[in-house]
Amino acid sequence: MVTVQLENIKKSFTEPVLKGLNLSVKSEEFMSLLGPSGCGKTTTLNIICGFLKPDEGNVYVNDVVVNNLAPHKRDIGLVFQNYALFPHMTVKGNLAFGLKLRKVNKKEIEKMVQEAMELIKLEGKEDRYPRELSGGQQQRVALARALIVKPQVLLLDEPLSNLDAKLRREMRIELRRIHKEVATTTIYVTHDQVEALSLSDRVAIMHNGEIEQIGSPTEIYQRPKTDFIADFMGEQNIISGKVASVAEKETVVSVGDLLIHIPDSSLEKGKEVHLAFRKENVRVNKKKLSNVNVFKAQVIYHAFVGKYVQYLLSLDNIRILADVQVDFATQIYKEGDHVFVELRSEDFWVLQ
Amino acid sequence: MKKLGPFRLSNSAKIIVLLLLAVLVYALFFLGPLLWMFYNSFFRWDPLRLVDRSVVTMENYLKVFTHPLYQTGVINSFIVSTAATLLSLVFNFPVAYYMTKLKSQARAITTMIILTPMMTLSLVTSYAWLTLLTPGGLVNQFLMSIGIISEPIIFWGTRIGVILVLVYSFSPHMTLVLNASLENIDPNYIKAAQILGANRFQTFYKVILPMSVPGIVAGSILTFTMCISSFLSPYVMGGRVVKLMAVQVFDFISVQLNFPLGSAMAIVLLSVVLLMVYVIRSLAEKKFRGGT
Ligand SMILES: Nc1ncnc2c1ncn2[C@@H]1O[C@H](COP(=O)(O)OP(=O)(O)OP(=O)(O)O)[C@@H](O)[C@H]1O
Ligand SMILES: [Mg+2]
């Protein structure tokens, strides 16, 4: 079942920001909206909440068009980057705010506040004012305030970016736990790929006002579809070549003098393509151990960073990066050493 | 290390000396006259020497509180200033609120318009108001033509007239203070309230209003203080018919040269202001503990 659906959303300020965005979030799903700063993530959330009207397109919540519904009627939970806890109310006052508006009776409110405080593990701090809480505690209250009214969907706008690294890690685990417990459909906005990958059921990558790829964290990480995503998900090796031959299960791409065998068979002969492979999949050997996808290379630079060695290698005119796992028995090659680079054909994928 | 001669001071010592100087200047020019006034208020007026310091007496204060004329002055001043402050708050809060929604150019123009009472000579505007508010003036004609009133309202020499002219004179101060406080409210608070289910009215009443309490307190204290100590416009509008402390103080000191009685009345006026500051602040605190 789909809880939130965005259909061909367009929005311009001085320039177009959203250019036909489509997204559907399944019920109880944890979906991340990942993209660089300024790509329109907050704008998208504002449109879902009703603070902004889209120039074109429809917003559905539980299959109902909500385009003309005021924000206070949309039944959405929202958590801000700066928490926005009401400073003139205690923690309890903040939590009870939405319940009072829904005319829940006093006894029930008392009970629900207590439950919420247990959920966020802040029992006993009900009568504090927000400024008397730490950043992480304020963050949890903000989350509880949004969840206590049992919204159809929970939206979080970079909720962890004001916290330090250690707290951020803890809060990621907390968020996961709380999501498991309440099972509210969640859209989580972030520009931090680690957050998106570690929290989500699915990740949607935003670029140029559209969703460029949507998939599970492993899909997004291992098979980014485009140059942009490959680059955004961390340094990758991207090389360009031309399709030399196409067979049933194997295509050969020529990159300069090198011939690369890949399993893809959907390409046309003669087409220019971008091939990507992850640097941790590159193997570096002294000897030539196989005949396919093995290339002569020279070490240009190496750096030992603990768990692995980072190499910059030159294959003819191409430069590639390799992260090679090492232990005390592994040989570490030095600048100028001649080596063989080996990749499996499955390690390559074609970017669009 | 630098050697410190008798006239060489370290940096922190320099700062302390400068601060002491500032305090001294402040004390001299602000507290000095005040204390002098306080001191004089306990003596008797003398037609020849003006202040007769041979006897210490409370009779000036007694007179202020018992003489019907001065009693009325204290009460009128209090009523007129309180009413003007409340009216100014009610009129200017919406103005200040809608100003926050304006784009920069419209806001600049609005600010200029709001500031006009401050930019013109209050004597001139008071007389302008006087002509507008005569029984046959524009305001009465308008009110009668739309049928709100059948008889012209008398503004000159009445408390209503004085209140109106005070509201007009000190509106800019109120608006600017309120606007500054409303501008400071992070729009995310308003969004948070709305998405939690608050409609416009609830958002205003439960979030915007309580969060602007510091501005309301500051604006009210400022306006009340200026109203109660304002002398020229109330005098033009109220004449000597509406008895007001500020006008009476002026009469004692500048016309009758009765410094002791004038001083005593000025001290009473100051006490009313301080009392009001205290009342406003504790009211605000009680209602909205936590503040912003
Ligand atoms: N009210 C507005 N008026 C004009 N331009 C705006 C407005 N709001 C956003 N923009 C522009 O729209 C673009 C997208 O803004 P948005 O806040 O959605 O980005 P974001 O993805 O949330 O970025 P960040 O990660 O930095 O929060 C930006 O270029 C921004 O300058
Ligand atoms: Mg943003």
Side-chain angles (χ1 to χ4, degrees), chain B:
Chain B
M1 220 175 86
K2 251 197 270 175
K3 234 169 95 183
L4 298 178
F7 294 105
R8 287 256 182 86
L9 293 170
S10 72
N11 269 342
S12 57
K14 269 183 207 160
I15 289 171
I16 290 172
V17 167
L18 282 175
L19 267 176
L20 275 178
L21 266 175
V23 169
L24 207 70
V25 168
Y26 182 75
L28 213 64
F29 287 98
F30 177 74
L31 275 180
L34 203 68
L35 287 174
W36 182 240
M37 215 168 64
F38 189 63
Y39 175 68
N40 278 334
S41 70
F42 293 103
F43 298 115
R44 196 169 284 161
W45 180 65
D46 182 277
L48 287 179
R49 286 176 298 164
L50 297 181
V51 185
D52 171 11
R53 294 206 174 80
S54 55
V55 221
V56 174
T57 169
M58 288 297 288
E59 68 185 26
N60 296 319
Y61 287 98
L62 221 63
K63 206 168 179 183
V64 173
F65 287 116
T66 53
H67 195 297
L69 208 60
Y70 310 135
Q71 264 182 351
T72 319
V74 175
I75 292 167
N76 268 347
S77 278
F78 180 79
I79 291 175
V80 160
S81 307
T82 307
T85 304
L86 287 176
L87 271 179
S88 179
L89 188 61
V90 171
F91 281 134
N92 288 303
F93 197 98
V95 177
Y97 181 61
Y98 283 105
M99 251 175 90
T100 62
K101 311 207 156 187
L102 296 177
K103 300 232 155 54
S104 60
Q105 209 173 2
R107 186 178 315 183
I109 295 169
T110 316
T111 310
M112 284 304 281
I113 295 171
I114 284 168
L115 286 181
T116 42
M118 278 173 88
M119 294 185 294
T120 43
L121 208 58
S122 63
L123 187 65
V124 178
T125 47
S126 302
Y127 276 110
W129 272 105
L130 205 55
T131 39
L132 284 175
L133 294 175
T134 52
L138 272 179
V139 173
N140 270 317
Q141 276 181 17
F142 173 73
L143 288 178
M144 291 204 300
S145 73
I146 59 170
I148 292 184
I149 51 171
S150 50
E151 293 283 304
I153 302 176
I154 308 295
F155 290 103
W156 189 85
T158 64
R159 285 193 288 219
I160 295 176
V162 175
I163 290 168
L164 279 187
V165 81
L166 285 175
V167 169
Y168 169 79
S169 306
F170 302 122
S171 272
H173 311 74
M174 183 65 106
T175 317
L176 293 185
V177 172
L178 288 176
N179 181 254
S181 137
L182 287 166
E183 291 279 359
N184 268 335
I185 298 178
D186 181 347
N188 279 353
Y189 290 124
I190 293 160
K191 285 187 181 177
Q194 287 180 340
I195 208 72
L196 281 166
N199 60 30
R200 269 164 183 240
F201 175 75
Q202 291 163 326
T203 305
F204 178 80
Y205 188 70
K206 295 189 174 207
V207 175
I208 297 169
L209 192 60
M211 289 190 75
S212 58
V213 163
I216 293 175
V217 168
S220 302
I221 288 175
L222 184 69
T223 307
F224 183 83
T225 309
M226 289 194 303
C227 283
I228 205 165
S229 55
S230 156
F231 147 75
L232 194 57
S233 331
Y235 174 66
V236 171
M237 188 53 77
R240 285 193 175 74
V241 183
V242 182
K243 308 280 178 266
L244 291 168
M245 273 198 276
V247 179
Q248 287 170 338
V249 170
F250 174 78
D251 276 349
F252 290 142
I253 291 180
S254 309
V255 181
Q256 304 172 17
L257 301 182
N258 188 340
F259 291 125
L261 190 55
S263 299
M265 186 150 245
I267 294 292
V268 171
L269 193 143
L270 182 67
S271 314
V272 173
V273 169
L274 291 178
L275 186 78
M276 200 59 181
V277 169
Y278 176 78
V279 169
I280 292 175
R281 298 194 68 138
S282 47
L283 267 181
E285 215 144 282
K286 207 156 143 202
K287 191 120 201 194
F288 304 106
R289 207 193 126 208
T292 42

Side-chain angles (χ1 to χ4, degrees), chain A residues 13-274:
Chain A
F13 295 107
T14 42
E15 283 170 19
V17 174
L18 304 179
K19 307 169 188 164
L21 183 125
N22 288 290
L23 181 69
S24 58
V25 187
K26 293 179 222 150
S27 75
E28 305 195 3
E29 183 175 35
F30 197 117
M31 163 81 83
S32 281
L33 210 50
L34 177 62
S37 186
C39 73
K41 304 183 294 291
T42 301
T43 305
T44 308
L45 289 195
N46 279 331
I47 286 174
I48 299 176
C49 290
F51 298 129
L52 284 176
K53 270 202 187 316
D55 300 337
E56 260 180 65
N58 290 317
V59 181
Y60 298 86
V61 176
N62 282 337
D63 299 323
V64 180
V65 183
V66 294
N67 284 22
N68 294 317
L69 212 58
H72 71 275
K73 292 183 180 155
R74 289 200 183 188
D75 202 12
I76 288 172
L78 180 58
V79 177
F80 298 87
Q81 184 178 344
N82 63 355
Y83 323 135
L85 293 174
F86 303 125
H88 58 290
M89 297 178 196
T90 59
V91 169
K92 193 195 257 173
N94 271 280
L95 293 182
F97 188 85
L99 298 174
K100 281 186 192 156
L101 291 170
R102 284 166 180 72
K103 307 242 169 0
V104 179
N105 69 46
K106 268 212 170 117
K107 245 175 135 183
E108 190 69 8
I109 289 181
E110 201 68 32
K111 201 179 118 221
M112 289 172 86
V113 167
Q114 226 40 56
E115 281 170 11
M117 294 302 278
E118 275 163 37
L119 181 71
I120 57 170
K121 298 184 175 156
L122 276 182
E123 297 103 316
K125 297 201 166 39
E126 295 81 355
D127 295 325
R128 298 256 189 115
Y129 282 92
R131 61 168 181 279
E132 299 165 346
L133 298 175
S134 73
Q137 291 169 336
Q138 291 183 33
Q139 181 60 80
R140 277 180 279 166
V141 175
L143 184 63
R145 180 179 69 176
L147 283 172
I148 202 166
V149 296
K150 304 204 162 46
Q152 314 231 32
V153 51
L154 175 68
L155 311 178
L156 303 118
D157 194 353
E158 310 200 19
L160 305 187
S161 54
N162 280 356
L163 305 175
D164 63 43
K166 182 168 170 285
L167 208 54
R168 215 177 303 168
R169 226 169 307 138
E170 287 171 16
M171 276 304 292
R172 281 211 300 266
I173 298 167
E174 280 293 288
L175 272 174
R176 221 28 246 187
R177 174 183 69 80
I178 290 171
H179 179 254
K180 280 241 161 65
E181 224 164 290
V182 297
T184 307
T185 310
T186 302
I187 302 178
Y188 184 95
V189 157
T190 179
H191 57 239
D192 182 325
Q193 42 138 327
V194 179
E195 260 172 38
L197 293 177
S198 60
L199 280 168
S200 323
D201 299 320
R202 285 196 299 160
V203 178
I205 310 278
M206 256 183 101
H207 183 225
N208 274 335
E210 288 174 36
I211 301 293
E212 196 154 288
Q213 186 176 3
I214 188 160
S216 70
T218 44
E219 267 169 9
I220 297 280
Y221 186 75
Q222 285 164 359
R223 289 291 180 268
K225 258 194 199 162
T226 63
D227 286 20
F228 168 80
I229 302 171
D231 188 48
F232 191 68
M233 297 310 292
E235 279 176 285
Q236 320 262 353
N237 289 300
I238 299 171
I239 53 182
S240 41
K242 207 176 216 166
V243 179
S245 70
V246 185
E248 186 158 334
K249 284 229 168 114
E250 194 175 68
T251 300
V252 179
V253 176
S254 68
V255 179
D257 291 337
L258 310 175
L259 291 179
I260 296 173
H261 297 251
I262 60 169
D264 199 308
S265 55
S266 61
L267 297 167
E268 282 166 44
K269 196 172 163 179
K271 196 182 169 210
E272 298 271 353
V273 289
H274 285 189

